[in-house]
Amino acid sequence: MGQRKGKKTWGLQAALLLMAIMLVVAGCSGNNTPNNGPAQTEQPGGNAGQAGENQPGDDQPETIELTWMVNDVMLPDSFGETYVEEKFNVKLNIVSIPRADYAQRQQIMMTTGDVPDVMIVMDPNEMKKYADQGLLAEVPMEMIEQYAPRTKAELDANAPQGWYYTEHRGKNYGIPTLFGGKTTTPGSWRVDLLEKAGVTEIPGTIEEMEAAFEALKGIGVYGMSSNGNSDYLTFQKIFGAFGVMPIQWTERDGQMMNGAVMPEAKEALTLLADWYQKGYIDPEFVTGQDLGPKFLDGIFAYNDNSSIFSIDETDPNSALSALKNINPEGDIKFGPLPTGPRGESGGWSWGTAANGIHFGAHMENEPEKIQRALEIIDSVINDEEVFVELAYGQQGTHWEYRNGTDLTMGVKQLPPYDDTVKLREEGIKGGETFFGGRPNFDLFYKYYGERLKEINETYAGNPVADLFGKPDILPSAGQYWGDLKKLKIEAYAAIIRGDQPIDYFDSFVEQWNSMGGEQLRTEAQELYDSLQ
Amino acid sequence: MKHNRFRAAIRSYASNKYLLLMFLPGFLLFLLFQYVPMYGILIAFKDFRIIDGILGSPWAGLKHFEYLFAGAGFTNALRNTLIIALLKYAFVFPAPIILAILLNEIRLNWFRRTIQTVTYLPHFFSWVILGGILFTFLGRDGGFNRILSYFGVQPVSWLIEPSYFYGIIVATDVWQSVGWGSIIYFAALAGIDPTLYEAAVADGASRWRRIWHITLPALAPTITIMLLLSIGNFLSVGFDQIYNLMTATTSEVGDILDTYVLRRLLTMNYELGAAAGLFSSTFGLLLVVVANRLVKLYDKDQGIW
Amino acid sequence: MHHRTWGEKVFDGVNMVLLLALAFLTLYPFMYTLTMSLSTPVDAKMPGLHLLPMNPTLEAYNKVLTQSGILQAFVNTTIRTVGGITLVLVFTSLTAYPLSRKSFPHRGLFMKLFVFSMLFNGGLIPMYLLIRNLGLLNTMWALLLPGVVTAFNLIIMRNFFQSIPEEIIDSAKIDGAGELRTFTSVVLPLSMPVLAVIALWSGVSHWNAWFDAMIYIQDLDKQVLQLFVRRTVIEESDALASQTELMHATSYSKETLKAATVMIATLPILCVYPFIQRFFVKGIMLGSVKG
């Protein structure tokens, strides 16, 4: 056969083969439509199948079966699962997915028809997609009022932005979870370096900070660093001192605004650029890397984002212990949130609502299941005994008072449950529960302990949260938010480093608005107005 | 005429029936797992409704492609991607070949084997971890500056300077992949008849001439095929690497198509992901076809088909 | 014996120095991670190169290895890797060989199909549905079967087979060997280097794979090792999670745990290479032909 002829036939045969493949595909596609039935029937290899059958008559008639998807590894028949089953007379089929895999696994399962009865959705934007696709059950406010009254009251009082997380196109699709209490991170100082530079008092205002930085410069230490590669962490405490928190939505006289483009942000940037130029700021702040080691190494003296456990000398692994280990003279102390020219201060906070618990669309036909789930959620959030069992476990087995006598110092998990992984395998989440997240504020503070509460109030007492909790939950946020974050990170870094003059801020604002910032502002306004 | 051709095909399969039997099991598995799910490509042209499935969802035309190309910074991302891709072909692609040749010149067996083993280690560390190490090593107070200070070089924060970014991307990619990439060339070198070298030495050929006339020709088919196999992924310039090395000052020069798409990829936006994939794949296919044609012009026995 | 000139000695010296420098650089991430994994959490927080642990401890390893499920995951990953290598070698070589024979019809078409599949794929959802419809969800087969014959391996192998001189194969046939016999007793022994490379590639990719396991495997006792690595490395960077972690005073240093997990997941596969190397000795193929 001639070569040229052969080539032509290849084209034909390729087409035939592709057609054959398309036929196979078409044949398969019949199976592709996902069935939206309850997950029990679809549950891959799970124990769900058997569970449906073992409903013997001697059980109480109101035993309800719930497939519940939780975001960490809980072993089958764990302490927590058994506790809920006995306490609330339900049969739970736990779909337990490690936190790192949760969002992706949930998306695949939802997309291919394995919709659980009850599930945490970790990002409100995912919830809105699911709701859009008709995968979630609507939960009318009256139902929440009736079956989870205490939680509703708590949300209304302490975390009203939670309702933004469960709302979509005017309907409510679940119950928000709490993220109490009101927290930001404290800032901490290398007081040994301050002393060495001749500063005796921990700075409390921007002016005192500036003086301290000048003195520190004299001994070859940068004043501060920050995570300059982050959309929200960059010099958060300095912006807070100017009464603004970039990239959060905030309200001024009924008008929605984004902190990133407010005039106060320009003020703060002016100061930061000045500080940078004077050599007070570690130029490597733009990487956002190695902040911990550099702080311990004495490269800079003010760490604007510390853990509240970092100066706990009783913890051999805390930052302070690590410092003492390399440098016995070294010392770290928390400082107050710095106060700005108008007496303002603040640090970033994620707000008091965490995310939402939602229900598969098929549950709309089984309202009694939603109701039972709501009752369980209401109970784990508000009943102290239930909360403690599911958040810390049993006293003496899983936890004990930190100081041995009472809650002043909070609680500590006992070995081997001081390892979070082991604790969670027991169905105990540690500080919060798998079935309702964190408790109401009273319970939260009670078990948080006086000591931490005091640190929080003294050094991190002014958390600033987005009006909607998370700034990216607006309808078109997905389209613009990524670009806006990138624009903000780059522009702020350029201005602080002096790569661009301060006036570049105005052109940054213009870009921000034209790249979707204005569109999102309008949406924020609408959302805000609609829920007032 | 057509009928004849069909019969000829049947006959040629019949005469190769044992080969066909060897071929079919693997080929069917291949079709099943590579081509049956291929209809998913259609999602790039659809408004995906989960309830309706991919095939039942309404058509969306080129909407997703328009959205993909219209976003702020697309041209910048495309330009960066092309620059990085070209740089990587210029420096990263030849590196394992050079390493294989240099190692081939080492006489000490244990030395050669040790170097082989050590150089392939970084392949096993993810860029999250390598990135962390590099930020420390290339930082102002890091090890690299300490070494340079012996030569009187002033310390530089290497990873925050946009002008060094491409250089670092290329150098660290070589560092991470050179050992692993050279393995296929070691295999090719194993095919060289040692008597060729002996004869060349006897003829008094210099080291360079031996490399040029024996080693390189022996590697050529492997080099060609590796080039053809990799060029389809021309626009995939190493998302993990760049994502983990980017900072606030380098994100303008480091923004590539993958990071650009990631910024737009909302939850469950399968359509956009598919559209972006289809764009890169089509571009890649074009390159493979052209490259294969060029290779065949040079030597008609080479090439993939 | 050949007498080395002065120029060649310089070349050898420079070459060795260059290679040593490269080896030093490429050894660093390994040494760094090893040191971190053996350090106390406090030492790990310290600045510096971390080339040697100051107060070596196995505490982090102890912590990682007592996680429930990790030993099972180790076993699963080993089975997966061994099974994966076997399947890939058998099916890929059987499929590649006919494509290397000039007499095999429609070779060009088949090769085009393979190349096309390398660039285009249907994405996650159709693949998941296929795996589910085949009843492979939550089984090891979901991890093994999809990669049994891939274009990359196949093309590399076919090219190697093609480079075997036609006369060797023809002479085997003249001796009366059938296709399969020619393949197993002539072609395969000549192809040890490429088989070793493909074995290494598919072994390493099976060992390191986690995404498919994350998607297709539900049961904890069927999980693979790399998912543990991913969890330890990822959780660190989750903003909300780290706020939740603040609730626990047990701030056991994540750095050392991360490093220990990475070492545990990496060391076994690293040890494989030296065994593969013996197939890269010069003249190994010729030996088997002429010998």
Side-chain angles (χ1 to χ4, degrees):
Chain A
M1 215 194 243
Q3 256 215 333
R4 210 169 294 153
K5 225 180 216 171
K7 259 184 193 157
K8 269 184 197 154
T9 61
W10 283 1
L12 181 80
Q13 278 145 357
L16 281 174
L17 206 104
L18 276 176
M19 267 177 68
I21 288 161
M22 291 314 270
L23 279 176
V24 176
V25 168
C28 286
S29 66
N31 305 333
N32 288 335
T33 22
N35 20 18
N36 255 345
Q40 289 97 305
T41 51
E42 292 293 329
Q43 184 60 44
N47 38 13
Q50 318 146 0
E53 289 149 32
N54 78 40
Q55 284 259 33
D58 55 355
D59 251 323
Q60 286 173 28
E62 70 261 38
T63 301
I64 275 182
E65 201 175 315
L66 288 172
T67 306
W68 200 310
M69 191 189 262
V70 297
N71 58 351
D72 219 314
V73 176
M74 189 199 288
L75 295 181
D77 301 320
S78 66
F79 172 84
E81 181 182 349
T82 317
Y83 181 85
V84 172
E85 286 182 336
E86 282 167 9
K87 183 87 187 170
F88 299 99
N89 191 21
V90 286
K91 172 80 189 76
L92 290 179
N93 301 313
I94 301 285
V95 182
S96 142
I97 300 171
R99 198 188 172 90
D101 313 343
Y102 191 76
Q104 247 166 327
R105 275 288 292 282
Q106 188 174 48
Q107 279 172 36
I108 277 288
M109 289 177 72
M110 298 291 276
T111 308
T112 53
D114 296 339
V115 183
D117 295 342
V118 190
M119 71 200 98
I120 297 161
V121 178
M122 285 165 71
D123 178 351
N125 281 312
E126 281 163 24
M127 187 292 289
K128 284 164 206 285
K129 274 275 180 175
Y130 296 150
D132 241 356
Q133 296 271 14
L135 301 172
L136 298 180
E138 188 193 346
V139 186
M141 279 300 193
E142 303 79 60
M143 196 190 258
I144 295 180
E145 179 75 72
Q146 191 179 345
Y147 294 96
R150 291 173 293 171
T151 307
K152 181 167 187 303
E154 178 75 9
L155 282 160
D156 289 343
N158 282 325
Q161 75 269 40
W163 298 113
Y164 292 115
Y165 296 176
T166 54
E167 184 271 350
H168 186 60
R169 296 184 199 272
K171 289 181 178 175
N172 184 61
Y173 283 93
I175 182 163
T177 55
L178 291 155
F179 199 63
K182 297 179 170 150
T183 48
T184 180
T185 50
S188 57
W189 288 88
R190 281 287 300 267
V191 280
D192 56 320
L193 295 177
L194 283 178
E195 263 169 43
K196 203 171 150 199
V199 183
T200 46
E201 201 85 346
I202 292 182
T205 67
I206 291 290
E207 278 172 16
E208 288 166 14
M209 258 181 145
E210 186 161 333
F213 288 175
E214 180 62 35
L216 286 162
K217 189 183 172 185
I219 58 165
V221 173
Y222 289 114
M224 71 179 296
S225 190
S226 190
N227 183 348
N229 203 18
S230 156
D231 53 315
Y232 69 98
L233 285 172
T234 311
F235 296 105
Q236 43 155 322
K237 304 294 193 298
I238 306 299
F239 286 97
F242 284 85
V244 65
M245 195 51 66
I247 226 142
Q248 284 184 359
W249 295 102
T250 180
E251 177 259 320
R252 288 282 155 90
D253 309 323
Q255 290 298 304
M256 294 306 300
M257 293 186 164
N258 194 291
V261 291
M262 280 161 60
E264 293 89 334
K266 188 177 178 181
E267 282 184 79
L269 285 170
T270 311
L271 176 77
L272 287 167
D274 183 46
W275 281 2
Y276 184 92
Q277 199 251 329
K278 287 176 176 160
Y280 299 164
I281 292 174
D282 178 4
E284 288 189 341
F285 80 93
V286 290
T287 66
Q289 301 275 341
D290 291 337
L291 290 167
K294 282 182 174 182
F295 183 57
L296 296 185
D297 206 16
I299 306 279
F300 62 89
Y302 179 62
N303 174 7
D304 68 350
N305 191 27
S306 335
S307 153
I308 46 171
F309 296 107
S310 60
I311 61 166
D312 181 358
E313 247 184 302
T314 61
D315 175 359
N317 299 326
S318 72
L320 182 57
S321 305
L323 177 64
K324 295 272 184 203
N325 187 41
I326 38 170
N327 177 7
E329 308 285 291
D331 197 9
I332 305 174
K333 281 199 166 68
F334 290 134
L337 297 180
T339 327
R342 292 177 291 275
E344 294 158 303
S345 69
W348 177 280
S349 162
W350 285 105
T352 42
N355 34 49
I357 299 178
H358 303 272
F359 310 93
H362 58 275
M363 296 273 276
E364 277 187 8
N365 304 322
E366 302 163 282
E368 70 284 356
K369 280 192 171 189
I370 300 188
Q371 291 158 9
R372 182 67 66 88
L374 285 174
E375 283 168 358
I376 296 174
I377 294 164
D378 201 40
S379 177
V380 298
I381 290 178
N382 297 290
D383 291 330
E384 181 165 358
E385 183 211 322
V386 181
F387 166 72
V388 170
E389 294 273 341
L390 292 171
Y392 300 106
Q394 276 179 326
Q395 188 174 5
T397 311
H398 299 104
W399 65 274
E400 202 43 80
Y401 297 118
R402 185 173 291 279
N403 62 4
T405 52
D406 57 30
L407 280 170
T408 358
M409 301 294 273
V411 302
K412 65 165 184 216
Q413 306 290 161
L414 298 172
Y417 303 110
D418 53 344
D419 180 352
T420 318
V421 175
K422 295 223 163 47
L423 187 68
R424 292 185 178 172
E425 284 174 354
E426 287 285 291
I428 303 165
K429 201 155 186 193
E432 56 183 288
T433 70
F434 276 108
F435 304 96
R438 289 195 187 175
N440 67 40
F441 274 42
D442 287 344
L443 281 177
F444 176 81
Y445 280 122
K446 186 170 175 186
Y447 286 86
Y448 198 51
E450 288 300 321
R451 183 183 62 113
L452 293 182
K453 198 178 167 190
E454 198 190 309
I455 294 177
N456 243 329
E457 278 167 6
T458 318
Y459 302 110
N462 203 357
V464 183
D466 188 276
L467 202 74
F468 309 113
K470 295 172 184 175
D472 61 344
I473 62 164
L474 300 164
S476 316
Q479 190 172 345
Y480 303 120
W481 199 245
D483 282 338
L484 291 176
K485 284 199 290 191
K486 176 168 179 280
L487 177 70
K488 183 257 170 190
I489 294 172
E490 286 175 0
Y492 275 38
I495 293 174
I496 295 171
R497 284 166 47 87
D499 298 340
Q500 295 280 1
I502 299 297
D503 286 339
Y504 176 71
F505 186 80
D506 304 328
S507 105
F508 155 70
V509 175
E510 272 168 41
Q511 286 183 64
W512 171 282
N513 286 331
S514 68
M515 281 167 70
E518 179 54 30
Q519 165 76 20
L520 292 180
R521 202 200 66 77
T522 315
E523 289 176 6
Q525 189 75 47
E526 279 166 15
L527 183 61
Y528 177 71
D529 292 342
S530 74
L531 289 172
Q532 277 313 294
Chain B
M1 168 76 187
K2 211 173 207 173
H3 197 61
N4 274 345
R5 219 184 281 151
F6 183 67
R7 282 171 79 177
I10 294 280
R11 213 176 305 126
S12 79
Y13 277 116
S15 66
N16 284 291
K17 57 178 180 291
Y18 293 110
L19 284 177
L20 193 64
L21 277 177
M22 290 165 75
F23 176 69
L24 273 180
F27 184 65
L28 291 178
L29 271 176
F30 164 78
L31 281 187
L32 178 64
F33 287 105
Q34 301 290 328
Y35 276 91
V36 169
M38 199 64 95
Y39 68 95
I41 287 179
L42 294 178
I43 208 170
F45 306 96
K46 295 258 185 172
D47 270 328
F48 182 45
R49 300 284 318 163
I50 290 175
I51 307 283
D52 300 322
I54 292 175
L55 297 176
S57 293
W59 292 98
L62 295 176
K63 192 174 85 179
H64 304 300
F65 290 91
E66 280 163 23
Y67 172 57
L68 183 67
F69 299 141
F74 175 76
T75 40
N76 180 50
L78 184 62
R79 198 195 54 219
N80 292 343
T81 307
L82 291 174
I83 293 174
I84 295 173
L86 288 172
L87 286 173
K88 285 199 170 178
Y89 269 94
F91 297 103
V92 182
F93 183 80
I97 303 167
I98 296 170
L99 176 64
I101 293 173
L102 291 184
L103 275 174
N104 193 45
E105 296 302 316
I106 297 288
R107 256 164 274 257
L108 297 170
N109 236 326
W110 64 267
F111 185 80
R112 190 175 62 236
R113 287 191 174 199
T114 312
I115 300 280
Q116 275 181 5
T117 309
V118 170
T119 50
Y120 104 134
L121 289 177
H123 172 80
F124 292 88
F125 294 83
S126 69
W127 276 106
V128 186
I129 289 168
L130 294 179
I133 293 173
L134 284 170
F135 269 107
T136 314
F137 185 69
L138 295 175
R140 186 192 48 235
D141 309 304
F144 191 55
N145 278 326
R146 256 181 262 170
I147 297 168
L148 288 183
S149 69
Y150 293 119
F151 303 96
V153 180
Q154 289 299 308
V156 176
S157 294
W158 296 95
L159 275 161
I160 70 177
E161 299 297 335
S163 51
Y164 297 135
F165 192 69
Y166 293 148
I168 289 170
I169 290 297
V170 168
T172 54
D173 196 17
V174 169
W175 170 64
Q176 196 247 1
S177 65
V178 66
W180 177 252
S182 59
I183 289 172
I184 182 73
Y185 300 109
F186 296 145
L189 287 172
I192 300 179
D193 185 347
T195 53
L196 288 178
Y197 286 112
E198 286 155 23
V201 169
D203 290 349
S206 74
R207 176 91 64 148
W208 290 113
R209 294 186 67 82
R210 273 177 272 149
I211 291 176
W212 190 253
H213 291 289
I214 303 174
T215 315
L216 264 180
L219 288 177
T222 310
I223 296 174
T224 311
I225 206 75
M226 291 311 285
L227 188 70
L228 286 176
L229 286 176
S230 70
I231 205 155
N233 300 319
F234 191 78
L235 292 181
S236 311
V237 289
F239 168 78
D240 281 339
Q241 180 197 16
I242 288 169
Y243 186 77
N244 282 299
L245 291 179
M246 228 158 39
T247 67
T249 42
T250 51
S251 59
E252 192 62 25
V253 291
D255 194 27
I256 52 170
L257 283 178
D258 292 342
T259 50
Y260 167 87
V261 172
L262 183 79
R263 278 204 301 284
R264 279 168 182 69
L265 217 50
L266 337 178
T267 309
M268 306 224 299
N269 197 339
Y270 299 112
E271 298 100 319
L272 191 69
L278 207 52
F279 171 70
S280 316
S281 306
T282 311
F283 187 81
L285 184 65
L286 210 74
L287 289 181
V288 175
V289 170
V290 170
N292 197 60
R293 180 72 51 86
L294 289 176
V295 166
K296 291 192 84 104
L297 277 181
Y298 181 72
D299 176 354
K300 73 176 176 50
D301 287 335
Q302 299 292 326
I304 301 180
W305 65 84
Chain C
M1 195 58 217
H2 164 58
H3 184 75
R4 292 201 298 165
T5 65
W6 189 79
E8 297 214 342
K9 277 181 189 157
V10 171
F11 176 95
D12 280 336
V14 172
N15 190 11
M16 277 173 104
V17 169
L18 272 179
L19 290 171
L20 271 176
L22 181 72
F24 196 75
L25 285 174
T26 46
L27 189 61
Y28 183 56
F30 179 81
M31 289 309 295
Y32 179 91
T33 316
L34 182 67
T35 302
M36 277 298 208
S37 71
L38 292 170
S39 295
T40 61
V42 162
D43 288 343
K45 284 200 182 82
M46 286 170 43
L49 282 179
H50 294 282
L51 277 175
L52 284 174
M54 280 173 297
N55 309 294
T57 166
L58 287 172
E59 205 183 334
Y61 286 89
N62 190 27
K63 205 106 178 162
V64 171
L65 286 173
T66 52
Q67 282 181 82
S68 59
I70 197 161
L71 294 176
Q72 183 62 44
F74 209 98
V75 173
N76 293 343
T77 297
T78 310
I79 296 174
R80 173 185 181 163
T81 304
V82 173
I85 293 176
T86 316
L87 285 171
V88 167
L89 286 184
V90 169
F91 280 94
T92 307
S93 61
L94 279 175
T95 314
Y97 176 65
L99 291 173
S100 74
R101 309 293 304 133
K102 286 230 168 71
S103 65
F104 197 68
H106 300 147
R107 290 196 310 158
L109 167 65
F110 290 128
M111 291 318 288
K112 281 173 192 162
L113 274 178
F114 277 106
V115 171
F116 189 82
S117 81
M118 225 166 52
L119 298 169
F120 295 87
N121 68 78
L124 189 53
I125 305 166
M127 194 63 189
Y128 183 89
L129 291 169
L130 175 68
I131 297 281
R132 191 173 74 183
N133 291 343
L134 293 172
L136 301 180
L137 271 193
N138 217 11
T139 68
M140 180 76 83
W141 295 111
L143 313 180
L144 290 176
L145 290 181
V148 160
V149 180
T150 61
F152 198 90
N153 291 342
L154 178 121
I155 292 170
I156 295 280
M157 239 190 227
R158 183 200 72 143
N159 255 53
F160 202 93
F161 292 154
Q162 252 172 2
S163 72
I164 295 171
E166 200 82 4
E167 309 85 64
I168 298 181
I169 292 168
D170 289 342
S171 67
K173 286 209 180 128
I174 290 164
D175 290 346
E179 293 285 3
L180 191 64
R181 215 188 128 74
T182 314
F183 175 65
T184 52
S185 58
V186 178
V187 177
L188 283 188
L190 282 177
S191 309
M192 285 321 279
V194 78
L195 292 179
V197 171
I198 301 285
L200 183 69
W201 281 350
S202 55
V204 167
S205 81
H206 270 294
W207 185 273
N208 286 338
W210 54 267
F211 187 80
D212 50 358
M214 177 181 100
I215 296 295
Y216 302 133
I217 303 292
Q218 158 82 50
D219 293 358
L220 286 172
D221 56 359
K222 293 179 183 160
Q223 269 323 350
V224 299
L225 194 55
Q226 291 296 336
L227 279 176
F228 281 88
V229 180
R230 179 181 138 80
R231 278 168 214 159
T232 345
V233 176
I234 285 240
E235 305 235 334
E236 181 81 348
S237 53
D238 186 329
L240 269 181
S242 54
Q243 284 213 4
T244 313
E245 293 302 323
L246 291 184
M247 297 296 298
H248 306 281
T250 58
S251 53
Y252 195 88
S253 171
K254 294 232 158 183
E255 283 308 313
T256 55
L257 283 184
K258 223 197 282 189
T261 316
V262 169
M263 284 323 289
I264 286 167
T266 314
L267 270 179
I269 194 75
L270 289 182
C271 299
V272 172
Y273 191 52
F275 295 97
I276 298 283
Q277 276 178 328
R278 51 203 196 88
F279 295 107
F280 300 154
V281 177
K282 249 175 284 180
I284 184 173
M285 295 166 62
L286 291 137
S288 57
V289 184
K290 292 175 180 166

